[in-house]
C-alpha cells in the first residue's frame, strides 16, 4: 500500500539515504508488539517491527511529500546481551499481512493474509522464528474452519482474531462466529456467549497514574507538574516520597500473568461466597427452628444478620460477574518481587527532557524507599518535543519512525523497557543499563 507523508522542508536533507533500506538489516520505523519468551536456554525478546521504504519525494510550499510502503518483520533478540538471534521478513502490510496473536508455551501464534487474499493460521518457533505448525496441524480437530476462516481486509484482522488469556486463541469464521482454540490441546469450541467481546491484542500504553498495588490498595500520583504518591481515597503523601516530575507508574501488561492473578482473585471470591452461603444457611435453619418451637427467643438480630450477609453475597456475585477486565477497575503495577515497582519521569521541564526511571520499594504502613534512579541515555521523555535534537534526527534519518509503541516486562533479575524504538535492559538490583539496542 502506498502512503503519503508530509514533512517540513527542514528535514529534506535527511531523506537522501531513504530510497533503499534493507528489510533484513535496516533500522525499524515502528513496533507493533513484543513478547518475552523463556526456556531452558535463557530468554528471548520477540519483536514485530515495521520498516518504511520511501519511493519518491516532491516538495512545494515549504513541505516535502514522501511516498512509500511499509514491510514488517519478526526479530528475536537474546535477552542476555541483546544480540539478534533470528529474523523473518514479511512483505508489505497489505500484501503479506501478519498478525501476532499470542506466545503460549513454545509457540508464537500468527494469522497471515497473503497477496492471494488467503487467511491462514501458523505458529513459529520463538528462537528460530521458523514456521513450527501449519493450519492443517493446528486445526486438526476443527478442519471445517480451515476453509472458512474470516477473510477481512488486512487492517481489520484484529477485529476477528485475537487472544483471550482465559479461553485461548480466538478465531472467527466467515459467518462471524467466534471460536476458542486451546493452545495446549488444540481443542476448538464455539463461543456461544452473545455478549462476548474480543479482548484488544495490543495496548501500547504501559504507564498510568492510578494502579493497584495489591487487591486492596490503590496508589495514585497526585500533583502537577511534580507528582507525589498517595493512597487512593487519601491525600497524605507517602513518607519519604521525593516527588516525580510528570511521573507515571510502569504497569503490567503481561496477559498470562494478569490472568493468573485474576484466577487467584476469583478463587478467593468464590470461596468467600461459599463460606457466606454456608453461614446464611446455618443461621436460617436455626431461625426457622426457633420459630417452629416457639421458644420466645427474639430472632430479629439474627434475621438482620442474615439480611446483611445475603447483601454481602449479592455484592460478591456482582463483583465476579462484572469482572470482564483482566485487572478489574485499575491497572496493576509492574512488580519486581513483592514490593518493588517503577516510576517514569522527565529529567527536566525542557523540551529535550530525558527519561528517568526510578525503582521504589514500599509496603503498606512503611516509608517509601527510593532504591535507585537511572537516566536512560538517548531516550527522551516526550519524543514529539525533542524532534530537533541530534539523537532524534539520527533515528529519523533512516525512515519515518513511529514512537507510540511502548512496552515493559521483568525477567529474573532485569527490567526490559522499549521506548522510542530502543529496548533497554536494566539490572533490577542496581539500576545499571546492561545493554541497549536500536530496533
Amino acid at each position: 500500500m502506498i502512503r503519503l507523508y508530509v514533512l517540513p522542508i527542514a528535514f529534506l536533507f535527511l531523506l537522501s539515504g531513504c530510497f533503499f533500506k534493507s528489510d533484513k538489516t535496516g533500522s525499524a520505523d515502528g513496533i507493533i508488539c513484543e513478547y518475552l519468551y523463556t526456556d531452558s536456554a535463557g530468554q528471548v525478546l520477540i519483536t514485530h517491527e515495521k520498516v518504511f521504504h520511501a519511493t519518491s519525494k516532491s516538495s512545494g510550499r515549504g513541505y516535502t511529500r514522501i511516498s512509500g510502503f511499509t514491510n514488517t518483520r519478526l526479530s528475536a533478540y537474546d535477552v542476555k546481551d541483546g544480540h539478534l538471534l533470528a529474523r523473518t521478513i514479511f512483505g508489505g502490510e497489505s500484501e503479506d499481512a501478519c498478525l501476532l496473536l499470542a506466545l503460549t508455551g513454545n509457540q508464537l501464534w500468527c494469522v497471515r493474509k497473503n497477496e492471494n487474499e488467503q487467511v491462514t493460521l501458523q505458529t513459529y518457533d520463538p528462537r528460530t522464528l521458523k514456521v513450527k505448525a501449519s493450519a492443517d496441524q493446528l486445526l486438526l480437530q476443527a478442519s471445517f474452519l480451515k476453509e472458512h476462516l474470516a477473510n477481512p481486509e488486512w487492517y481489520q484482522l484484529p477485529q476477528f482474531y485475537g487472544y483471550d488469556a482465559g479461553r485461548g486463541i480466538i478465531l472467527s469464521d466467515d459467518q462471524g462466529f467466534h471460536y476458542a482454540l486451546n493452545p495446549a490441546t488444540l481443542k476448538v469450541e464455539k463461543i456461544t456467549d452473545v455478549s462476548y467481546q474480543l479482548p484488544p491484542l495490543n495496548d501500547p500504553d504501559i504507564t498510568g497514574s492510578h494502579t493497584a498495588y495489591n487487591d486492596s490498595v490503590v496508589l495514585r500520583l497526585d500533583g502537577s507538574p511534580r507528582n507525589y504518591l498517595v493512597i487512593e481515597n487519601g491525600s497524605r503523601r507517602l513518607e519519604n516520597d521525593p516527588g516525580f516530575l510528570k511521573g507515571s507508574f510502569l504497569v503490567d501488561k503481561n496477559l498470562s500473568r494478569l490472568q493468573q492473578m485474576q484466577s487467584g482473585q476469583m478463587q478467593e471470591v468464590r470461596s468467600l461466597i461459599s463460606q457466606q452461603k454456608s453461614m446464611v444457611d446455618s443461621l436460617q435453619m436455626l431461625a426457622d427452628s426457633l420459630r417452629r418451637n416457639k421458644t420466645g427467643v427474639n430472632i430479629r438480630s439474627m434475621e438482620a444478620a442474615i439480611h446483611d450477609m445475603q447483601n454481602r453475597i449479592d455484592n460478591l456475585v456482582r463483583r465476579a460477574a462484572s469482572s470482564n477486565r483482566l485487572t478489574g477497575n485499575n491497572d496493576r503495577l509492574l512488580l519486581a518481587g513483592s514490593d518493588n515497582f517503577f516510576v517514569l519521569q522527565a529529567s527536566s521541564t525542557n523540551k529535550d527532557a530525558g527519561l528517568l526511571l526510578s525503582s521504589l520499594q514500599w509496603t503498606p504502613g512503611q516509608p517509601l524507599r527510593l532504591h535507585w534512579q537511572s537516566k536512560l541515555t538517548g531516550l527522551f521523555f516526550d519524543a514529539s518535543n525533542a524532534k530537533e535534537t541530534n539523537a532524534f534526527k539520527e533515528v529519523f534519518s533512516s525512515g519515518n519512525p513511529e514512537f507510540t509503541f511502548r512496552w515493559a516486562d521483568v525477567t529474573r533479575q532485569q527490567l526490559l523497557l522499549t521506548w522510542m524504538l530502543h529496548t533497554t535492559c536494566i539490572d533490577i538490583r542496581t539500576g545499571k543499563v546492561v545493554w541497549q539496542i536500536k530496533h
Side-chain angles (χ1 to χ4, degrees):
M1 171 176 280
I2 298 296
R3 293 185 175 179
L4 299 179
Y5 297 89
V6 177
L7 303 173
I9 217 165
F11 291 132
L12 183 59
F13 75 97
L14 295 172
L15 300 172
S16 57
C18 285
F19 288 96
F20 174 78
K21 183 191 288 191
S22 168
D23 286 325
K24 190 172 184 64
T25 60
S27 59
D29 297 289
I31 296 176
I32 301 170
C33 63
E34 287 188 316
Y35 295 98
L36 181 61
Y37 170 67
T38 302
D39 62 14
S40 59
Q43 294 181 298
V44 179
L45 175 66
I46 302 164
T47 307
H48 190 189
E49 302 166 342
K50 297 180 181 182
V51 181
F52 176 73
H53 296 270
T55 56
S56 65
K57 64 182 178 182
S58 60
S59 59
R61 297 185 180 182
Y63 290 93
T64 294
R65 184 179 297 272
I66 307 172
S67 299
F69 61 92
T70 299
N71 290 345
T72 70
R73 67 191 185 195
L74 282 183
S75 300
Y77 303 93
D78 192 330
V79 171
K80 183 178 180 180
D81 55 15
H83 82 270
L84 184 68
L85 289 171
R87 180 165 280 167
T88 293
I89 310 301
F90 301 131
E93 287 181 306
S94 57
E95 296 84 12
D96 188 9
C98 169
L99 177 67
L100 296 189
L101 304 178
L103 174 65
T104 65
N106 61 354
Q107 296 198 96
L108 183 65
W109 293 79
C110 169
V111 168
R112 297 283 300 277
K113 181 180 174 72
N114 61 27
E115 58 184 1
N116 295 322
E117 298 293 312
Q118 294 178 329
V119 171
T120 189
L121 183 68
Q122 294 177 326
T123 62
Y124 291 85
D125 184 290
R127 279 193 170 272
T128 66
L129 300 184
K130 293 181 179 179
V131 175
K132 191 164 188 176
S134 66
D136 288 335
Q137 298 165 291
L138 300 172
L139 297 177
L140 197 60
Q141 300 183 51
S143 56
F144 65 92
L145 271 179
K146 185 188 172 190
E147 302 298 328
H148 293 281
L149 289 172
N151 190 7
E153 296 296 327
W154 66 273
Y155 53 84
Q156 294 177 321
L157 286 173
Q159 299 175 30
F160 294 85
Y161 300 94
Y163 175 66
D164 186 320
R167 294 175 183 260
I169 306 299
I170 305 301
L171 308 173
S172 297
D173 67 11
D174 53 15
Q175 298 299 306
F177 292 107
H178 290 310
Y179 298 82
L181 187 158
N182 186 311
T185 65
L186 300 185
K187 182 179 180 180
V188 176
E189 291 186 354
K190 190 175 184 179
I191 298 176
T192 57
D193 182 358
V194 295
S195 62
Y196 181 77
Q197 292 185 347
L198 194 63
L201 267 180
N202 300 311
D203 185 353
D205 189 4
I206 56 166
T207 62
S209 58
H210 292 69
T211 60
Y213 174 80
N214 55 28
D215 293 345
S216 57
V217 176
V218 174
L219 294 177
R220 187 175 77 246
L221 282 162
D222 261 0
S224 179
R226 197 163 187 85
N227 313 126
Y228 297 92
L229 278 163
V230 299
I231 296 175
E232 183 73 8
N233 299 322
S235 57
R236 182 180 297 180
R237 286 168 51 185
L238 299 186
E239 187 178 349
N240 293 344
D241 181 3
F244 308 92
L245 181 60
K246 301 179 182 178
S248 57
F249 298 108
L250 267 186
V251 299
D252 198 340
K253 296 295 182 178
N254 185 305
L255 292 181
S256 297
R257 188 161 53 231
L258 293 173
Q259 177 63 33
Q260 282 186 329
M261 190 183 301
Q262 187 191 47
S263 296
Q265 292 171 349
M266 296 312 299
Q267 285 181 357
E268 292 178 8
V269 170
R270 285 191 287 268
S271 177
L272 284 172
I273 291 174
S274 178
Q275 292 173 16
Q276 296 280 337
K277 282 184 175 180
S278 178
M279 292 175 67
V280 166
D281 291 344
S282 296
L283 285 173
Q284 192 65 61
M285 290 175 61
L286 178 57
D288 292 343
S289 176
L290 291 174
R291 286 194 194 94
R292 285 194 303 270
N293 295 327
K294 299 179 180 181
T295 59
V297 175
N298 189 340
I299 61 172
R300 288 182 180 177
S301 59
M302 188 180 299
E303 290 174 336
I306 293 172
H307 180 74
D308 289 343
M309 292 179 71
Q310 188 59 55
N311 284 339
R312 285 197 290 272
I313 291 173
D314 293 341
N315 287 335
L316 288 170
V317 170
R318 281 194 292 270
R319 174 182 165 189
S322 63
S323 183
N324 57 1
R325 282 189 59 201
L326 282 174
T327 54
N329 295 324
N330 294 285
D331 287 318
R332 280 279 184 171
L333 285 170
L334 181 63
L335 293 171
S338 60
D339 61 354
N340 188 189
F341 58 94
F342 308 95
V343 170
L344 293 171
Q345 67 169 319
S347 62
S348 72
T349 58
N350 299 330
K351 286 186 176 182
D352 61 349
L355 184 67
L356 289 181
L357 175 68
S358 298
S359 171
L360 304 167
Q361 288 183 304
W362 178 74
T363 53
Q366 298 297 317
L368 184 70
R369 180 189 169 209
L370 178 62
H371 187 200
W372 49 256
Q373 189 172 84
S374 178
K375 183 173 182 179
L376 304 184
T377 305
L379 302 183
F380 299 98
F381 180 77
D382 186 344
S384 63
N385 282 334
K387 287 184 178 179
E388 298 303 322
T389 65
N390 290 331
F392 180 88
K393 291 179 180 179
E394 180 184 348
V395 176
F396 186 82
S397 63
S398 63
N400 190 56
E402 302 171 0
F403 296 127
T404 54
F405 181 83
R406 299 169 180 177
W407 177 89
D409 208 341
V410 288
T411 72
R412 298 181 180 97
Q413 293 183 327
Q414 297 161 325
L415 169 68
L416 294 176
L417 174 66
T418 298
W419 192 278
M420 281 187 65
L421 297 176
H422 290 70
T423 295
T424 307
C425 178
I426 301 136
D427 190 310
I428 288 174
R429 299 161 299 180
T430 64
K432 293 183 178 179
V433 173
V434 181
W435 52 259
Q436 185 182 79
I437 58 172
K438 175 184 172 185
H439 291 277

